[in-house]
Amino acid sequence: MENQKKVMVSGIQPSGDLHLGNYLGPLRHWPEMIEEFDCYFFMADLHTITVRQDPAALRRRTLTQIAQYIACGLDPEKCVLFVQSHVPAHSQLGWVLDCYTMFGELSRMTQFKDKSAKNADNINAGLFTYPSLMAADILLYQPDFVPVGEDQKQHVEICRDIAERFNGVYGDVFKVPEPYIAKVGARIMGLSAPESKMSKSAPEGCVFLMEKPEDIMRKFKRAVTDSDTENPVRYDPKAKPGVSNLIQIYAAATGKSYEAVEAEFAGQGYGVFKSVVGEAVIECLRPIREETERLLADKAYLESIWRAGAERAERTAIKTLRKVYKKVGFLPR
Ligand code: TRP
C-alpha cells in the first residue's frame, strides 16, 4: 500500500554543477529508492546562500538540477521533487528549531568550522544555524530515513538530538529519523588529485554531467596514474590511487567487476586504458546530458513539475508546522 512505504527526505545544494562523483555515488541509486520509499527530494537553495552566490548562476543551477534529477531517472510522478524556498514551512520551522538548538552544539559542527575557515570574511549567522534549518527540512516530512553521504552524518545526528529535545518537552511531535548510508555507491576521487574526492573546486579533475564529450575525454587522458609498467591496470587504492579510481569509475559506468576490468586490460598500458574509460563515461553520461538539454528547452514542463512538487511537499510540511506552532503556544491565525 502506497501510504505504508517508509519515507525518505534528501536535499542537494545547487551550489555547483553536478558531476560524475555525485552521479556514480548517490544519485544513480535514487531511482531504485523511489520504488521502495516515499521520497522527497529538494534543491536546497536556502542553504546555498550561507556562502555568497551569484544570483543568475544560482537560478540557472537550480533549474538545471531539477532537469538533471529527472534525466537521471527520478520520475516526478513517483517522488516529490521541489525547490526548498518554494515551501516556506522550511524557513518557518527552521526558526522554531533555532530556539531548540544550542550554541555549544552548533559550535562543534565540523562543517561550520571548515566553512568558516574557508570563508573567513563571511562567517554569517546562517552558516552557524545551518544545521537547524536542515533539521527543519527533514523533520517537516516525518521521514524514517535521510540518505546522506559520510560528510553529512553529523547533521543528521544533530537533527535527531533536536527532535528528541523537542519531543522531550512537547510529546511525540517529530519522528526521529535514521541516517541512511547507501550500501552501494562509489566514492569517486578527482582525476587530477586522486587523494581527494572528486569536487567542483578542482575542476580539471572533475567531470561534470553536462560536459562535452571532447572535454571529458581530455580530462581522462590527463588523469593522474603512476609509473608502474609491469602490470599497470591493477586495483590497489593504497599503492595506486589514480589507477584504482579509474578502475572504479569504469566498473561503475559499465557494470563490470574490478577483476573483469583488470583482465580486460592485462598487459596494456595506461594510454589505451584511459581512452576506454573516457569513452565509457561519455556513453554513460550521454543520455543524461541529452535528456537534460531536452528538458531545459521545455521550461513550461519543468515549471509544472516544481509547482506540483511544492504543492505536494507543502501539504505534508504544513501539517507538521501547524502541530509545532500549536505545541509551542502560538495563537492560531
Ligand atoms: N546539507 C546537505 C549538503 O550539503 C544538503 C541538505 C540540506 C540536506 N538539507 C538537507 C540533505 C536535508 C539531506 C536532508 O549536502
Side-chain angles (χ1 to χ4, degrees):
M1 279 245 306
E2 192 67 16
N3 55 9
Q4 285 176 345
K5 278 190 188 171
K6 302 262 189 204
V7 177
M8 226 171 209
V9 180
S10 198
I12 292 197
Q13 289 196 54
S15 53
D17 292 318
L18 292 178
H19 57 72
L20 189 64
N22 302 131
Y23 180 64
L24 295 181
L27 195 45
R28 192 165 57 124
H29 300 286
W30 285 9
E32 301 150 25
M33 285 178 3
I34 64 176
E35 301 296 334
E36 197 182 336
F37 301 97
D38 270 336
C39 291
Y40 293 86
F41 293 116
F42 63 92
M43 320 300 133
D45 56 350
L46 295 175
H47 279 95
T48 66
I49 64 163
T50 53
V51 298
R52 288 286 173 265
Q53 300 291 330
D54 171 59
L58 176 59
R59 212 162 5 248
R60 177 190 62 78
R61 283 194 309 260
T62 307
L63 184 69
T64 308
Q65 232 175 62
I66 300 175
Q68 283 177 317
Y69 281 4
I70 301 171
C72 287
L74 286 187
D75 180 344
E77 301 288 328
K78 291 190 184 161
C79 63
V80 184
L81 268 185
F82 67 104
V83 178
Q84 186 187 25
S85 64
H86 292 178
V87 181
H90 288 248
S91 312
Q92 293 168 308
L93 182 61
W95 167 252
V96 176
L97 296 185
D98 274 347
C99 303
Y100 295 80
T101 307
M102 299 303 134
F103 186 88
E105 60 188 343
L106 289 175
S107 319
R108 289 190 292 274
M109 300 303 287
T110 31
Q111 183 170 302
F112 173 68
K113 291 190 225 164
D114 290 351
K115 286 203 177 172
S116 26
K118 276 190 206 137
N119 303 283
D121 56 342
N122 183 22
I123 306 177
N124 60 71
L127 196 61
F128 190 65
T129 62
Y130 183 114
S132 43
L133 177 59
M134 178 156 162
D137 298 337
I138 296 170
L139 297 175
L140 278 174
Y141 301 95
Q142 308 282 358
D144 298 278
F145 299 108
V146 185
V148 283
E150 265 313 311
D151 62 319
Q152 292 294 316
K153 252 172 93 176
Q154 199 186 19
H155 282 149
V156 181
E157 285 307 321
I158 195 174
C159 167
R160 290 167 54 86
D161 293 342
I162 296 168
E164 278 166 0
R165 181 174 302 137
F166 196 92
N167 287 350
V169 182
Y170 302 102
D172 280 342
V173 177
F174 297 124
K175 183 168 237 165
V176 182
E178 304 279 341
Y180 178 95
I181 310 288
K183 338 177 236 315
V184 282
R187 185 165 193 265
I188 304 296
M189 314 305 276
L191 300 184
S192 48
E195 312 72 50
S196 26
K197 247 173 57 168
M198 183 174 280
S199 151
K200 59 181 191 303
S201 47
E204 261 319 291
C206 181
V207 173
F208 296 98
L209 296 191
M210 298 306 284
E211 220 160 354
K212 289 206 279 302
E214 54 271 33
D215 294 330
I216 298 179
M217 187 52 94
R218 182 178 46 79
K219 287 182 176 174
F220 274 98
K221 286 197 169 149
R222 287 192 194 153
V224 168
T225 49
D226 51 50
S227 52
D228 186 354
T229 52
E230 217 28 49
N231 183 19
V233 183
R234 268 186 300 121
Y235 186 77
D236 181 349
K238 286 240 159 55
K240 300 164 70 66
V243 174
S244 303
N245 186 41
L246 292 173
I247 293 177
Q248 184 188 211
I249 291 173
Y250 186 60
T254 58
K256 293 176 183 172
S257 68
Y258 294 176
E259 295 74 35
V261 179
E262 286 174 345
E264 185 177 341
F265 295 97
Q268 307 233 42
Y270 290 142
V272 178
F273 175 54
K274 287 196 222 176
S275 321
V276 175
V277 178
E279 204 48 57
V281 168
I282 289 167
E283 288 319 312
C284 169
L285 297 184
R286 185 188 302 282
I288 298 172
R289 176 171 47 84
E290 289 176 354
E291 180 63 2
T292 304
E293 281 163 355
R294 195 186 67 74
L295 290 165
L296 284 173
D298 191 352
K299 184 106 180 272
Y301 169 74
L302 285 178
E303 210 171 300
S304 73
I305 296 303
W306 77 61
R307 285 225 181 111
E311 273 166 31
R312 285 168 71 191
E314 186 142 57
R315 239 173 281 145
T316 307
I318 205 106
K319 284 191 199 135
T320 304
L321 184 71
R322 287 221 178 99
K323 212 163 156 186
V324 167
Y325 273 17
K326 191 167 166 206
K327 290 286 183 184
V328 299
F330 295 158
L331 181 70
R333 185 165 120 178

